[in-house]
Amino acid sequence: MQVHIRRIGNSQGIILPRPLLQQAGIENEIDLEVIDGAIVLRPMKADPRADWDQLFQKAIEDGHKPEKDLFEAMSNDFDQTEWQW
C-alpha cells in the first residue's frame, strides 16, 4: 500500500486506514520504533510489565543471576540507626 507523507504542523505524518489498524489490533496508542531502517508500529500493551515474571524466569534459566543484593551497599545512617524492623 502506498501512502503520501503529509505535513502536520512542524512534523510529518501519514493517514492509516481504519481496516489496517483493526487488522493490526491497534486502537488508541502504539509502540513505535525503528528496526533495521524500518518504522515498526505495534499495539501498546495494556500493562507493559505484564510479562516481566516470565522474562525474569527465562533469564534465570539462561544462567543470568544477580551476583548479590544490589541494594546491600546502599544503606545510610538512617537505615543503621533510626529504622526499626
Coordinates of all heavy atoms in Angstrom, one line a residue:
M1 N 0.8 -1.2 0.0 CA 0.0 0.0 0.0 C 0.9 1.2 0.0 O 1.8 1.3 0.8 CB -0.9 0.0 1.2 CG -1.7 1.3 1.4 SD -2.6 1.3 3.0 CE -3.7 -0.1 2.8
Q2 N 0.6 2.1 -0.9 CA 1.4 3.4 -1.0 C 0.6 4.5 -0.4 O -0.6 4.7 -0.8 CB 1.8 3.6 -2.4 CG 2.7 4.8 -2.6 CD 3.1 5.0 -4.0 OE1 2.8 4.2 -4.9 NE2 3.9 6.1 -4.3
V3 N 1.2 5.3 0.5 CA 0.5 6.4 1.1 C 1.5 7.6 1.0 O 2.7 7.5 0.9 CB 0.1 6.2 2.5 CG1 -0.9 5.1 2.7 CG2 1.3 5.9 3.4
H4 N 0.9 8.8 1.0 CA 1.7 10.0 0.9 C 2.0 10.6 2.3 O 1.2 10.5 3.2 CB 1.0 11.1 0.1 CG 0.8 10.7 -1.4 ND1 1.8 10.7 -2.3 CD2 -0.3 10.2 -2.0 CE1 1.4 10.3 -3.4 NE2 0.1 9.9 -3.3
I5 N 3.2 11.1 2.5 CA 3.6 11.8 3.7 C 3.0 13.2 3.7 O 3.2 13.9 2.7 CB 5.1 11.8 3.9 CG1 5.6 10.3 4.0 CG2 5.5 12.6 5.2 CD1 7.1 10.2 4.1
R6 N 2.3 13.6 4.7 CA 1.7 14.9 4.8 C 2.3 15.7 5.8 O 2.8 15.2 6.8 CB 0.2 14.7 5.1 CG -0.6 13.9 4.1 CD -2.0 13.6 4.6 NE -2.6 12.7 3.7 CZ -3.9 12.8 3.3 NH1 -4.6 13.8 3.8 NH2 -4.4 12.0 2.5
R7 N 2.2 17.0 5.6 CA 2.7 18.0 6.6 C 1.6 18.1 7.7 O 0.5 18.4 7.4 CB 2.9 19.3 6.0 CG 4.1 20.0 6.6 CD 4.6 21.1 5.7 NE 5.4 22.0 6.5 CZ 6.5 21.7 7.1 NH1 7.1 20.5 6.8 NH2 7.2 22.5 7.8
I8 N 2.0 18.0 9.0 CA 1.1 18.2 10.1 C 1.9 19.1 11.1 O 2.7 18.7 11.8 CB 0.8 16.8 10.8 CG1 0.2 15.9 9.8 CG2 -0.1 17.1 12.0 CD1 0.0 14.5 10.4
G9 N 1.6 20.4 11.0 CA 2.3 21.4 11.8 C 3.8 21.4 11.4 O 4.1 21.5 10.2
N10 N 4.7 21.3 12.3 CA 6.1 21.3 12.0 C 6.6 19.8 11.8 O 7.8 19.6 11.6 CB 6.9 21.9 13.2 CG 6.7 23.4 13.3 OD1 6.4 24.0 12.3 ND2 6.9 23.9 14.5
S11 N 5.7 18.9 11.8 CA 6.0 17.5 11.7 C 5.5 16.9 10.4 O 4.9 17.7 9.6 CB 5.4 16.6 12.8 OG 5.9 17.1 14.1
Q12 N 5.6 15.7 10.2 CA 5.1 15.0 9.0 C 4.4 13.7 9.5 O 4.7 13.2 10.5 CB 6.1 14.6 8.0 CG 6.8 15.9 7.4 CD 7.9 15.5 6.4 OE1 8.6 14.5 6.6 NE2 8.0 16.3 5.3
G13 N 3.4 13.3 8.7 CA 2.7 12.1 9.1 C 2.0 11.4 8.0 O 2.0 11.9 6.8
I14 N 1.3 10.3 8.3 CA 0.5 9.6 7.3 C -0.8 9.3 7.9 O -1.0 9.2 9.1 CB 1.2 8.3 6.8 CG1 1.4 7.3 8.0 CG2 2.5 8.6 6.1 CD1 1.9 6.0 7.6
I15 N -1.8 9.1 7.0 CA -3.1 8.6 7.5 C -3.2 7.1 7.3 O -2.9 6.6 6.2 CB -4.2 9.3 6.6 CG1 -4.1 10.8 6.7 CG2 -5.6 8.8 7.1 CD1 -4.3 11.4 8.1
L16 N -3.5 6.4 8.4 CA -3.6 4.9 8.3 C -5.0 4.5 8.2 O -5.8 4.9 9.0 CB -2.9 4.3 9.5 CG -1.5 4.6 9.8 CD1 -1.0 4.1 11.1 CD2 -0.6 4.0 8.7
P17 N -5.4 3.8 7.2 CA -6.8 3.3 7.0 C -7.3 2.5 8.2 O -6.5 1.7 8.8 CB -6.8 2.5 5.8 CG -5.5 2.9 5.1 CD -4.6 3.3 6.1
R18 N -8.5 2.7 8.7 CA -9.1 2.0 9.8 C -9.0 0.5 9.7 O -8.6 -0.2 10.6 CB -10.5 2.4 10.0 CG -11.2 1.7 11.2 CD -12.6 2.1 11.4 NE -12.7 3.6 11.6 CZ -12.7 4.2 12.8 NH1 -12.5 3.4 13.9 NH2 -12.8 5.5 12.9
P19 N -9.3 -0.1 8.5 CA -9.2 -1.6 8.4 C -7.7 -2.1 8.7 O -7.5 -3.1 9.3 CB -9.6 -1.9 7.0 CG -10.4 -0.7 6.6 CD -9.9 0.5 7.3
L20 N -6.7 -1.3 8.3 CA -5.4 -1.7 8.5 C -5.0 -1.7 10.0 O -4.4 -2.6 10.6 CB -4.4 -0.7 7.8 CG -2.9 -1.0 7.8 CD1 -2.7 -2.3 7.0 CD2 -2.1 0.1 7.3
L21 N -5.5 -0.6 10.7 CA -5.3 -0.5 12.2 C -6.0 -1.7 12.9 O -5.5 -2.3 13.8 CB -5.8 0.8 12.7 CG -5.0 2.1 12.2 CD1 -5.7 3.3 12.6 CD2 -3.6 2.0 12.8
Q22 N -7.3 -2.0 12.5 CA -8.0 -3.0 13.1 C -7.3 -4.4 12.9 O -7.3 -5.2 13.8 CB -9.4 -3.1 12.5 CG -10.3 -1.9 13.0 CD -11.6 -1.8 12.3 OE1 -11.8 -2.4 11.2 NE2 -12.6 -1.2 13.0
Q23 N -6.8 -4.6 11.7 CA -6.1 -5.9 11.4 C -4.9 -6.0 12.3 O -4.6 -7.1 12.7 CB -5.7 -5.9 9.9 CG -5.1 -7.2 9.5 CD -4.8 -7.2 8.0 OE1 -5.0 -6.2 7.3 NE2 -4.2 -8.3 7.5
A24 N -4.2 -4.9 12.6 CA -3.0 -5.0 13.4 C -3.4 -4.9 14.9 O -2.5 -5.1 15.7 CB -2.1 -3.8 13.1
G25 N -4.6 -4.7 15.3 CA -5.0 -4.7 16.7 C -4.7 -3.4 17.3 O -4.5 -3.3 18.5
I26 N -4.5 -2.3 16.6 CA -4.1 -1.0 17.1 C -5.4 -0.2 17.4 O -6.2 -0.1 16.5 CB -3.2 -0.3 16.1 CG1 -1.9 -1.0 16.0 CG2 -3.0 1.2 16.6 CD1 -0.9 -0.5 14.9
E27 N -5.5 0.3 18.6 CA -6.7 1.1 18.9 C -6.3 2.6 19.2 O -6.5 3.4 18.3 CB -7.4 0.5 20.2 CG -8.0 -0.8 19.9 CD -8.6 -1.4 21.1 OE1 -8.8 -0.7 22.1 OE2 -9.0 -2.6 21.0
N28 N -5.8 2.9 20.3 CA -5.5 4.3 20.7 C -4.0 4.7 20.7 O -3.7 5.8 20.3 CB -6.1 4.6 22.0 CG -7.6 4.5 22.0 OD1 -8.3 4.8 21.0 ND2 -8.2 4.0 23.1
E29 N -3.2 3.8 21.2 CA -1.8 4.1 21.4 C -1.0 3.0 20.7 O -1.4 1.8 20.6 CB -1.4 4.2 22.8 CG -2.0 5.4 23.5 CD -1.5 5.6 25.0 OE1 -0.8 4.7 25.4 OE2 -1.9 6.6 25.6
I30 N 0.2 3.4 20.3 CA 1.1 2.4 19.7 C 2.5 2.4 20.3 O 2.9 3.4 21.0 CB 1.3 2.7 18.2 CG1 1.9 4.1 17.9 CG2 0.0 2.5 17.4 CD1 2.4 4.3 16.5
D31 N 3.2 1.4 20.1 CA 4.6 1.3 20.4 C 5.4 1.5 19.1 O 5.1 0.8 18.2 CB 5.0 0.0 21.1 CG 6.4 -0.2 21.4 OD1 7.1 0.8 21.6 OD2 6.9 -1.3 21.5
L32 N 6.2 2.5 19.0 CA 6.8 2.9 17.8 C 8.3 2.8 17.9 O 8.9 3.3 18.9 CB 6.4 4.4 17.5 CG 7.1 5.1 16.3 CD1 6.6 4.4 15.0 CD2 6.7 6.5 16.3
E33 N 9.0 2.1 17.0 CA 10.5 2.1 17.0 C 11.0 1.9 15.6 O 10.2 1.5 14.7 CB 10.9 1.0 17.9 CG 10.6 -0.4 17.5 CD 11.1 -1.5 18.5 OE1 12.2 -1.4 18.9 OE2 10.2 -2.3 18.9
V34 N 12.3 2.1 15.4 CA 12.9 1.9 14.1 C 13.8 0.6 14.3 O 14.6 0.5 15.2 CB 13.8 3.1 13.7 CG1 14.5 2.8 12.4 CG2 12.9 4.3 13.6
I35 N 13.6 -0.4 13.4 CA 14.3 -1.6 13.4 C 14.9 -1.8 12.0 O 14.1 -1.9 11.0 CB 13.5 -2.8 13.8 CG1 12.9 -2.6 15.2 CG2 14.3 -4.1 13.7 CD1 12.0 -3.7 15.7
D36 N 16.2 -1.9 11.9 CA 16.9 -2.1 10.6 C 16.4 -1.1 9.5 O 16.1 -1.5 8.4 CB 16.7 -3.5 10.1 CG 17.4 -4.5 11.1 OD1 18.5 -4.1 11.7 OD2 16.9 -5.6 11.2
G37 N 16.2 0.1 9.8 CA 15.7 1.1 8.9 C 14.3 1.1 8.6 O 13.8 1.9 7.7
A38 N 13.5 0.3 9.3 CA 12.0 0.3 9.0 C 11.3 0.8 10.3 O 11.7 0.6 11.4 CB 11.6 -1.2 8.8
I39 N 10.3 1.6 10.1 CA 9.5 2.1 11.2 C 8.4 1.0 11.5 O 7.7 0.6 10.6 CB 8.8 3.4 10.8 CG1 9.8 4.5 10.5 CG2 7.8 3.9 11.9 CD1 9.2 5.8 9.9
V40 N 8.5 0.6 12.7 CA 7.6 -0.5 13.2 C 6.6 0.0 14.2 O 6.9 0.6 15.2 CB 8.4 -1.7 13.8 CG1 7.5 -2.8 14.3 CG2 9.5 -2.2 12.8
L41 N 5.3 -0.2 13.9 CA 4.2 0.2 14.8 C 3.6 -1.1 15.4 O 3.3 -2.1 14.7 CB 3.1 0.9 14.0 CG 3.5 2.0 13.1 CD1 2.3 2.4 12.3 CD2 3.9 3.2 14.0
R42 N 3.4 -1.1 16.7 CA 2.8 -2.3 17.4 C 1.8 -1.8 18.3 O 1.9 -0.7 18.9 CB 3.9 -3.0 18.2 CG 4.9 -3.8 17.4 CD 5.7 -4.7 18.3 NE 6.8 -5.3 17.6 CZ 8.0 -4.8 17.6 NH1 8.3 -3.7 18.2 NH2 9.0 -5.3 16.9
P43 N 0.7 -2.6 18.6 CA -0.3 -2.1 19.6 C 0.4 -2.0 20.9 O 1.3 -2.8 21.3 CB -1.3 -3.3 19.6 CG -0.9 -4.2 18.5 CD 0.4 -3.9 18.0
M44 N 0.0 -1.0 21.7 CA 0.5 -0.9 23.1 C 0.0 -1.9 24.0 O -1.2 -2.2 23.9 CB 0.0 0.5 23.6 CG 1.0 1.5 24.1 SD 2.7 1.3 23.9 CE 3.1 2.0 25.5
K45 N 0.8 -2.5 24.8 CA 0.3 -3.5 25.8 C -0.4 -2.7 26.9 O -0.1 -1.6 27.3 CB 1.5 -4.2 26.4 CG 2.3 -5.1 25.5 CD 3.4 -5.8 26.2 CE 4.3 -6.6 25.3 NZ 5.4 -7.2 26.0
A46 N -1.5 -3.4 27.4 CA -2.3 -2.7 28.4 C -1.4 -2.5 29.7 O -1.4 -1.5 30.3 CB -3.4 -3.6 28.8
D47 N -0.5 -3.5 30.0 CA 0.4 -3.4 31.1 C 1.8 -3.8 30.6 O 2.0 -4.9 30.4 CB 0.0 -4.3 32.3 CG 0.9 -4.2 33.5 OD1 1.8 -3.4 33.4 OD2 0.7 -5.0 34.4
P48 N 2.6 -2.8 30.4 CA 4.0 -3.1 29.8 C 4.8 -4.1 30.6 O 5.7 -4.7 30.1 CB 4.7 -1.7 29.7 CG 3.6 -0.7 30.0 CD 2.5 -1.4 30.6
R49 N 4.5 -4.2 31.9 CA 5.2 -5.1 32.8 C 4.6 -6.4 33.0 O 5.0 -7.2 33.8 CB 5.4 -4.4 34.1 CG 6.3 -3.1 34.0 CD 6.4 -2.5 35.4 NE 7.2 -1.3 35.3 CZ 6.6 -0.1 35.4 NH1 5.4 0.1 35.7 NH2 7.3 1.0 35.3
A50 N 3.5 -6.7 32.2 CA 2.7 -7.9 32.4 C 3.5 -9.2 32.3 O 3.3 -10.2 33.0 CB 1.5 -7.9 31.5
D51 N 4.5 -9.2 31.4 CA 5.3 -10.4 31.1 C 6.6 -10.4 31.8 O 7.5 -11.3 31.5 CB 5.4 -10.6 29.6 CG 6.1 -9.5 28.9 OD1 6.3 -8.4 29.5 OD2 6.4 -9.7 27.7
W52 N 6.9 -9.5 32.7 CA 8.2 -9.5 33.4 C 8.5 -10.7 34.1 O 9.6 -11.2 34.1 CB 8.3 -8.3 34.3 CG 8.6 -7.0 33.6 CD1 8.5 -6.7 32.3 CD2 9.1 -5.8 34.2 NE1 8.9 -5.5 32.0 CE2 9.3 -4.8 33.2 CE3 9.4 -5.4 35.5 CZ2 9.7 -3.6 33.4 CZ3 9.9 -4.1 35.7 CH2 10.0 -3.2 34.7
D53 N 7.5 -11.4 34.8 CA 7.8 -12.6 35.5 C 8.3 -13.7 34.6 O 9.3 -14.3 35.0 CB 6.5 -13.1 36.2 CG 6.1 -12.2 37.4 OD1 7.0 -11.5 37.9 OD2 4.9 -12.3 37.8
Q54 N 7.7 -13.8 33.5 CA 8.2 -14.9 32.5 C 9.6 -14.5 32.0 O 10.5 -15.4 31.8 CB 7.2 -15.0 31.3 CG 5.9 -15.6 31.7 CD 4.9 -14.5 32.1 OE1 5.1 -13.3 32.0 NE2 3.8 -15.0 32.7
L55 N 9.8 -13.2 31.7 CA 11.1 -12.8 31.2 C 12.2 -13.0 32.3 O 13.3 -13.4 31.9 CB 11.1 -11.3 30.7 CG 10.2 -11.1 29.5 CD1 10.1 -9.5 29.3 CD2 10.7 -11.8 28.3
F56 N 11.9 -12.7 33.5 CA 12.9 -12.9 34.6 C 13.2 -14.4 34.8 O 14.3 -14.8 34.9 CB 12.4 -12.3 35.9 CG 12.6 -10.8 36.0 CD1 11.5 -10.0 36.4 CD2 13.8 -10.2 35.7 CE1 11.6 -8.6 36.5 CE2 13.9 -8.8 35.8 CZ 12.8 -8.0 36.2
Q57 N 12.1 -15.2 34.7 CA 12.3 -16.6 34.8 C 13.2 -17.2 33.7 O 14.1 -18.0 33.9 CB 11.0 -17.3 34.9 CG 11.1 -18.8 35.1 CD 11.7 -19.1 36.5 OE1 11.4 -18.4 37.5 NE2 12.5 -20.1 36.5
K58 N 12.9 -16.7 32.5 CA 13.7 -17.2 31.3 C 15.2 -16.7 31.5 O 16.1 -17.5 31.2 CB 13.2 -16.6 30.0 CG 13.9 -17.1 28.8 CD 13.3 -16.6 27.5 CE 14.1 -17.1 26.3 NZ 15.4 -17.5 26.4
A59 N 15.4 -15.5 32.0 CA 16.8 -15.0 32.2 C 17.5 -15.9 33.2 O 18.7 -16.3 33.1 CB 16.8 -13.6 32.6
I60 N 16.8 -16.3 34.3 CA 17.4 -17.1 35.3 C 17.7 -18.5 34.7 O 18.8 -19.1 35.0 CB 16.5 -17.3 36.5 CG1 16.4 -15.9 37.3 CG2 16.9 -18.4 37.5 CD1 15.4 -15.8 38.4
E61 N 16.8 -19.1 33.9 CA 17.0 -20.4 33.3 C 18.2 -20.3 32.3 O 18.9 -21.3 32.1 CB 15.7 -20.8 32.6 CG 14.6 -21.2 33.5 CD 13.3 -21.4 32.8 OE1 13.2 -21.3 31.6 OE2 12.3 -21.7 33.5
D62 N 18.4 -19.2 31.7 CA 19.5 -19.0 30.8 C 20.8 -18.7 31.5 O 21.9 -18.5 30.9 CB 19.2 -17.9 29.8 CG 18.1 -18.2 28.8 OD1 17.8 -19.4 28.7 OD2 17.6 -17.3 28.2
G63 N 20.8 -18.7 32.9 CA 22.0 -18.5 33.6 C 22.3 -17.1 34.1 O 23.4 -16.8 34.6
H64 N 21.4 -16.2 33.9 CA 21.6 -14.8 34.3 C 21.1 -14.6 35.7 O 19.9 -14.5 35.9 CB 21.0 -13.8 33.3 CG 21.4 -14.0 31.9 ND1 22.6 -13.5 31.5 CD2 20.8 -14.6 30.8 CE1 22.8 -13.8 30.2 NE2 21.7 -14.4 29.8
K65 N 21.9 -14.5 36.7 CA 21.5 -14.3 38.0 C 22.3 -13.2 38.7 O 23.5 -13.0 38.4 CB 21.8 -15.6 38.9 CG 20.9 -16.8 38.4 CD 21.2 -18.0 39.3 CE 20.4 -19.1 38.8 NZ 20.6 -20.3 39.7
P66 N 21.6 -12.3 39.5 CA 22.4 -11.3 40.1 C 23.4 -11.9 41.1 O 23.1 -12.9 41.7 CB 21.3 -10.5 40.9 CG 20.1 -11.2 40.7 CD 20.2 -12.3 39.8
E67 N 24.6 -11.3 41.1 CA 25.7 -11.9 42.0 C 25.4 -11.7 43.4 O 25.8 -12.5 44.3 CB 27.0 -11.2 41.6 CG 27.4 -11.6 40.2 CD 28.7 -10.9 39.8 OE1 29.4 -10.3 40.7 OE2 29.0 -10.9 38.6
K68 N 24.7 -10.6 43.8 CA 24.4 -10.3 45.2 C 23.3 -9.3 45.2 O 22.8 -8.9 44.2 CB 25.6 -9.8 45.9 CG 26.1 -8.5 45.4 CD 27.3 -8.0 46.1 CE 27.8 -6.6 45.6 NZ 28.8 -6.0 46.3
D69 N 22.9 -9.0 46.4 CA 21.8 -8.0 46.6 C 22.3 -6.6 46.2 O 23.3 -6.1 46.8 CB 21.4 -8.0 48.1 CG 20.2 -7.0 48.3 OD1 19.8 -6.3 47.4 OD2 19.8 -6.9 49.5
L70 N 21.8 -6.0 45.2 CA 22.3 -4.8 44.6 C 22.1 -3.6 45.6 O 22.8 -2.6 45.4 CB 21.6 -4.5 43.3 CG 21.8 -5.5 42.2 CD1 21.0 -5.2 40.9 CD2 23.3 -5.7 41.8
F71 N 21.2 -3.7 46.5 CA 20.9 -2.6 47.5 C 21.7 -2.8 48.7 O 21.7 -1.9 49.6 CB 19.4 -2.5 47.8 CG 18.6 -2.2 46.6 CD1 17.8 -3.1 46.0 CD2 18.6 -0.9 46.1 CE1 17.0 -2.8 44.9 CE2 17.8 -0.6 45.0 CZ 17.1 -1.5 44.4
E72 N 22.5 -3.8 48.9 CA 23.2 -4.1 50.1 C 24.2 -3.0 50.5 O 24.2 -2.6 51.6 CB 24.0 -5.4 49.9 CG 24.7 -5.9 51.2 CD 25.4 -7.2 50.9 OE1 24.8 -8.1 50.4 OE2 26.6 -7.3 51.3
A73 N 24.9 -2.4 49.5 CA 25.9 -1.4 49.8 C 25.3 0.0 49.8 O 26.0 1.0 49.9 CB 27.0 -1.5 48.8
M74 N 24.0 0.1 49.7 CA 23.3 1.4 49.6 C 22.7 1.9 50.9 O 22.0 2.9 50.9 CB 22.3 1.4 48.5 CG 22.8 1.2 47.2 SD 21.6 1.2 45.9 CE 21.0 2.8 45.9
S75 N 23.0 1.3 52.0 CA 22.4 1.7 53.3 C 23.1 3.0 53.7 O 24.2 3.3 53.4 CB 22.6 0.6 54.4 OG 23.9 0.5 54.7
N76 N 22.4 3.7 54.6 CA 22.9 5.0 55.1 C 22.7 5.0 56.6 O 22.2 4.0 57.2 CB 22.2 6.2 54.4 CG 20.7 6.2 54.6 OD1 20.2 5.7 55.6 ND2 20.0 6.7 53.6
D77 N 23.0 6.1 57.2 CA 22.9 6.2 58.7 C 21.5 6.0 59.2 O 21.3 5.4 60.2 CB 23.4 7.6 59.2 CG 24.9 7.8 59.0 OD1 25.6 6.7 58.9 OD2 25.4 8.9 58.9
F78 N 20.5 6.5 58.5 CA 19.1 6.3 58.9 C 18.8 4.9 58.9 O 18.2 4.4 59.9 CB 18.2 7.1 57.9 CG 16.7 6.8 58.2 CD1 16.1 7.5 59.1 CD2 16.1 5.8 57.5 CE1 14.7 7.2 59.4 CE2 14.7 5.6 57.7 CZ 14.1 6.3 58.7
D79 N 19.2 4.1 57.9 CA 19.0 2.7 57.9 C 19.6 2.0 59.1 O 19.0 1.0 59.6 CB 19.5 2.1 56.6 CG 18.8 2.6 55.3 OD1 17.6 2.9 55.4 OD2 19.4 2.5 54.2
Q80 N 20.8 2.4 59.4 CA 21.5 1.7 60.5 C 21.1 2.1 61.9 O 21.1 1.3 62.8 CB 23.0 2.0 60.4 CG 23.6 1.6 59.0 CD 23.4 0.1 58.8 OE1 23.5 -0.8 59.7 NE2 23.1 -0.3 57.6
T81 N 20.7 3.4 62.1 CA 20.4 3.8 63.5 C 18.9 4.1 63.8 O 18.5 3.9 64.9 CB 21.2 5.1 63.8 OG1 20.8 6.1 62.9 CG2 22.7 4.8 63.7
E82 N 18.2 4.6 62.8 CA 16.8 5.1 63.1 C 15.7 4.1 62.7 O 14.6 4.1 63.2 CB 16.6 6.4 62.5 CG 17.5 7.5 63.1 CD 17.3 8.9 62.5 OE1 16.1 9.2 62.2 OE2 18.2 9.6 62.3
W83 N 16.0 3.3 61.7 CA 14.9 2.5 61.1 C 14.7 1.3 62.1 O 15.7 0.7 62.6 CB 15.3 1.9 59.8 CG 14.3 1.1 59.2 CD1 14.3 -0.3 59.0 CD2 13.1 1.5 58.6 NE1 13.2 -0.7 58.4 CE2 12.4 0.3 58.1 CE3 12.4 2.7 58.4 CZ2 11.2 0.4 57.5 CZ3 11.2 2.8 57.8 CH2 10.6 1.6 57.3
Q84 N 13.5 1.0 62.3 CA 13.1 -0.2 63.2 C 12.4 -1.2 62.4 O 11.4 -0.9 61.7 CB 12.3 0.3 64.4 CG 13.0 1.2 65.3 CD 12.2 1.6 66.5 OE1 11.2 1.0 66.8 NE2 12.6 2.7 67.2
W85 N 12.8 -2.4 62.5 CA 12.1 -3.5 61.8 C 11.0 -4.1 62.7 O 11.0 -4.2 63.8 CB 13.1 -4.6 61.5 CG 14.1 -4.2 60.4 CD1 15.3 -3.7 60.7 CD2 13.9 -4.1 59.0 NE1 15.9 -3.3 59.5 CE2 15.1 -3.6 58.4 CE3 12.9 -4.5 58.2 CZ2 15.3 -3.5 57.1 CZ3 13.1 -4.3 56.8 CH2 14.2 -3.8 56.3

